[in-house]
Short mmCIF file of all heavy atoms in Angstrom, two decimals:
data_model
loop_
_atom_site.label_atom_id
_atom_site.label_comp_id
_atom_site.label_asym_id
_atom_site.label_seq_id
_atom_site.Cartn_x
_atom_site.Cartn_y
_atom_site.Cartn_z
N LEU E 1 99.63 116.35 79.50
CA LEU E 1 99.31 114.96 79.85
C LEU E 1 97.81 114.74 79.65
O LEU E 1 96.98 115.62 79.85
CB LEU E 1 99.73 114.73 81.31
CG LEU E 1 101.16 114.69 81.61
CD1 LEU E 1 101.42 114.50 83.10
CD2 LEU E 1 101.87 113.60 80.83
N PRO E 2 97.38 113.51 79.31
CA PRO E 2 96.00 113.26 79.15
C PRO E 2 95.25 113.18 80.43
O PRO E 2 95.85 112.83 81.53
CB PRO E 2 96.03 111.82 78.47
CG PRO E 2 97.28 111.19 78.95
CD PRO E 2 98.28 112.33 79.02
N ALA E 3 94.00 113.42 80.43
CA ALA E 3 93.13 113.36 81.64
C ALA E 3 93.11 111.84 82.00
O ALA E 3 93.12 111.04 81.08
CB ALA E 3 91.77 113.87 81.37
N PRO E 4 93.08 111.53 83.29
CA PRO E 4 93.07 112.41 84.42
C PRO E 4 94.43 112.73 84.99
O PRO E 4 94.55 113.33 86.12
CB PRO E 4 92.25 111.56 85.47
CG PRO E 4 92.63 110.15 85.12
CD PRO E 4 92.80 110.10 83.64
N LEU E 5 95.49 112.44 84.23
CA LEU E 5 96.86 112.77 84.72
C LEU E 5 97.17 114.20 84.69
O LEU E 5 98.26 114.60 85.12
CB LEU E 5 97.87 111.96 84.05
CG LEU E 5 97.79 110.45 84.08
CD1 LEU E 5 99.04 109.79 83.39
CD2 LEU E 5 97.81 109.92 85.58
N ASP E 6 96.30 115.01 84.18
CA ASP E 6 96.50 116.46 84.10
C ASP E 6 96.08 117.23 85.36
O ASP E 6 96.04 118.47 85.35
CB ASP E 6 95.77 117.02 82.86
CG ASP E 6 94.26 116.81 82.90
OD1 ASP E 6 93.81 116.03 83.69
OD2 ASP E 6 93.61 117.38 82.06
N ARG E 7 95.79 116.47 86.40
CA ARG E 7 95.39 117.08 87.64
C ARG E 7 95.97 116.31 88.84
O ARG E 7 96.56 115.25 88.63
CB ARG E 7 93.81 117.07 87.85
CG ARG E 7 93.24 115.70 87.91
CD ARG E 7 91.78 115.71 88.25
NE ARG E 7 91.11 114.43 88.20
CZ ARG E 7 91.11 113.56 89.24
NH1 ARG E 7 91.80 113.86 90.36
NH2 ARG E 7 90.47 112.45 89.10
N THR E 8 95.94 116.90 89.98
CA THR E 8 96.40 116.25 91.22
C THR E 8 95.33 115.38 91.77
O THR E 8 94.12 115.34 91.34
CB THR E 8 96.86 117.28 92.28
OG1 THR E 8 95.79 118.16 92.51
CG2 THR E 8 98.07 118.06 91.74
N LEU E 9 95.62 114.65 92.84
CA LEU E 9 94.77 113.68 93.46
C LEU E 9 93.75 114.47 94.34
O LEU E 9 94.10 115.45 94.88
CB LEU E 9 95.66 112.78 94.31
CG LEU E 9 95.10 111.47 94.86
CD1 LEU E 9 94.78 110.50 93.68
CD2 LEU E 9 96.08 110.80 95.76
N THR E 10 92.57 113.91 94.47
CA THR E 10 91.62 114.55 95.40
C THR E 10 91.67 113.86 96.77
O THR E 10 92.14 112.66 96.94
CB THR E 10 90.18 114.43 94.90
OG1 THR E 10 89.76 112.99 94.90
CG2 THR E 10 90.06 114.93 93.47
N GLU E 11 91.20 114.57 97.80
CA GLU E 11 91.17 114.00 99.12
C GLU E 11 90.37 112.73 99.13
O GLU E 11 90.70 111.71 99.85
CB GLU E 11 90.67 115.00 100.08
CG GLU E 11 90.64 114.55 101.54
CD GLU E 11 90.22 115.65 102.49
OE1 GLU E 11 90.11 116.83 102.07
OE2 GLU E 11 90.08 115.35 103.68
N GLU E 12 89.20 112.73 98.46
CA GLU E 12 88.33 111.60 98.45
C GLU E 12 89.02 110.31 97.81
O GLU E 12 88.94 109.16 98.35
CB GLU E 12 87.01 111.89 97.67
CG GLU E 12 86.07 110.68 97.68
CD GLU E 12 84.81 111.02 96.93
OE1 GLU E 12 84.66 112.15 96.36
OE2 GLU E 12 83.90 110.19 96.82
N GLU E 13 89.79 110.61 96.74
CA GLU E 13 90.44 109.49 96.06
C GLU E 13 91.50 108.83 97.00
O GLU E 13 91.56 107.59 97.17
CB GLU E 13 91.13 109.97 94.80
CG GLU E 13 90.20 110.21 93.70
CD GLU E 13 90.81 110.91 92.50
OE1 GLU E 13 91.80 111.68 92.65
OE2 GLU E 13 90.38 110.65 91.23
N TYR E 14 92.29 109.70 97.67
CA TYR E 14 93.35 109.16 98.54
C TYR E 14 92.76 108.42 99.80
O TYR E 14 93.22 107.42 100.16
CB TYR E 14 94.27 110.38 98.95
CG TYR E 14 95.52 109.87 99.58
CD1 TYR E 14 96.30 108.91 99.05
CD2 TYR E 14 95.92 110.45 100.85
CE1 TYR E 14 97.51 108.48 99.62
CE2 TYR E 14 97.05 110.02 101.45
CZ TYR E 14 97.87 109.07 100.88
OH TYR E 14 99.08 108.64 101.46
N ARG E 15 91.67 109.03 100.25
CA ARG E 15 91.05 108.42 101.40
C ARG E 15 90.49 107.00 101.05
O ARG E 15 90.54 106.08 101.84
CB ARG E 15 89.88 109.24 101.98
CG ARG E 15 89.30 108.76 103.32
CD ARG E 15 88.16 109.50 103.83
NE ARG E 15 88.47 110.89 103.94
CZ ARG E 15 87.84 111.86 103.20
NH1 ARG E 15 86.97 111.55 102.19
NH2 ARG E 15 88.19 113.11 103.39
N THR E 16 89.97 106.89 99.87
CA THR E 16 89.47 105.55 99.44
C THR E 16 90.59 104.52 99.48
O THR E 16 90.37 103.37 99.94
CB THR E 16 88.95 105.68 97.98
OG1 THR E 16 87.78 106.49 97.91
CG2 THR E 16 88.56 104.30 97.44
N VAL E 17 91.77 104.91 99.16
CA VAL E 17 92.90 103.96 99.06
C VAL E 17 93.43 103.73 100.52
O VAL E 17 93.71 102.57 100.93
CB VAL E 17 94.01 104.42 98.18
CG1 VAL E 17 95.21 103.52 98.20
CG2 VAL E 17 93.45 104.63 96.75
N THR E 18 93.58 104.81 101.33
CA THR E 18 94.11 104.60 102.71
C THR E 18 93.12 103.81 103.53
O THR E 18 93.56 103.00 104.38
CB THR E 18 94.48 105.93 103.36
OG1 THR E 18 93.34 106.77 103.32
CG2 THR E 18 95.53 106.67 102.52
N ASP E 19 91.88 104.05 103.35
CA ASP E 19 90.84 103.28 104.10
C ASP E 19 90.93 101.79 103.73
O ASP E 19 90.82 100.92 104.64
CB ASP E 19 89.45 103.76 103.80
CG ASP E 19 89.10 105.12 104.47
OD1 ASP E 19 89.91 105.55 105.32
OD2 ASP E 19 88.07 105.68 104.16
N ARG E 20 91.17 101.51 102.45
CA ARG E 20 91.23 100.10 102.06
C ARG E 20 92.48 99.42 102.61
O ARG E 20 92.50 98.28 103.03
CB ARG E 20 91.22 99.99 100.51
CG ARG E 20 91.27 98.54 99.99
CD ARG E 20 90.09 97.72 100.53
NE ARG E 20 90.12 96.37 99.98
CZ ARG E 20 89.63 95.28 100.62
NH1 ARG E 20 89.14 95.41 101.81
NH2 ARG E 20 89.68 94.17 100.05
N ALA E 21 93.55 100.17 102.74
CA ALA E 21 94.82 99.65 103.28
C ALA E 21 94.53 99.27 104.75
O ALA E 21 95.04 98.22 105.26
CB ALA E 21 95.93 100.69 103.20
N ALA E 22 93.81 100.15 105.50
CA ALA E 22 93.53 99.80 106.89
C ALA E 22 92.67 98.59 106.96
O ALA E 22 92.87 97.79 107.79
CB ALA E 22 92.87 101.06 107.57
N GLU E 23 91.69 98.45 106.10
CA GLU E 23 90.77 97.28 106.08
C GLU E 23 91.54 96.02 105.79
O GLU E 23 91.23 94.95 106.39
CB GLU E 23 89.70 97.47 105.00
CG GLU E 23 88.65 98.56 105.33
CD GLU E 23 87.72 98.80 104.14
OE1 GLU E 23 87.92 98.10 103.05
OE2 GLU E 23 86.90 99.70 104.23
N LEU E 24 92.53 96.07 104.99
CA LEU E 24 93.37 94.93 104.65
C LEU E 24 94.39 94.50 105.78
O LEU E 24 95.03 93.47 105.69
CB LEU E 24 94.09 95.10 103.35
CG LEU E 24 93.19 95.07 102.09
CD1 LEU E 24 93.98 95.60 100.87
CD2 LEU E 24 92.62 93.73 101.82
N GLY E 25 94.52 95.40 106.75
CA GLY E 25 95.38 95.11 107.88
C GLY E 25 96.75 95.63 107.85
O GLY E 25 97.59 95.29 108.67
N PHE E 26 97.02 96.55 106.90
CA PHE E 26 98.38 97.21 106.83
C PHE E 26 98.55 98.12 108.06
O PHE E 26 97.78 99.08 108.21
CB PHE E 26 98.56 97.93 105.58
CG PHE E 26 98.72 97.03 104.41
CD1 PHE E 26 97.69 96.82 103.51
CD2 PHE E 26 99.93 96.45 104.11
CE1 PHE E 26 97.76 95.96 102.44
CE2 PHE E 26 100.09 95.65 103.05
CZ PHE E 26 99.00 95.39 102.17
N THR E 27 99.49 97.91 108.86
CA THR E 27 99.69 98.68 110.13
C THR E 27 101.02 99.35 110.15
O THR E 27 101.23 100.27 110.98
CB THR E 27 99.55 97.75 111.34
OG1 THR E 27 100.54 96.78 111.27
CG2 THR E 27 98.17 97.17 111.46
#
């Protein structure tokens, strides 16, 4: 698979998304 799909997700990447979900009000 081409980069970056040749690796798993990093903790920082996932936290960026979950933090934004909380900011948007998803509960």
Side-chain angles (χ1 to χ4, degrees):
L1 290 178
L5 296 184
D6 59 349
R7 64 172 175 85
T8 55
L9 198 64
T10 68
E11 184 175 351
E12 180 180 2
E13 287 172 327
Y14 191 50
R15 187 185 304 115
T16 295
V17 179
T18 57
D19 285 352
R20 182 58 177 150
E23 291 171 1
L24 290 169
F26 289 100
T27 58

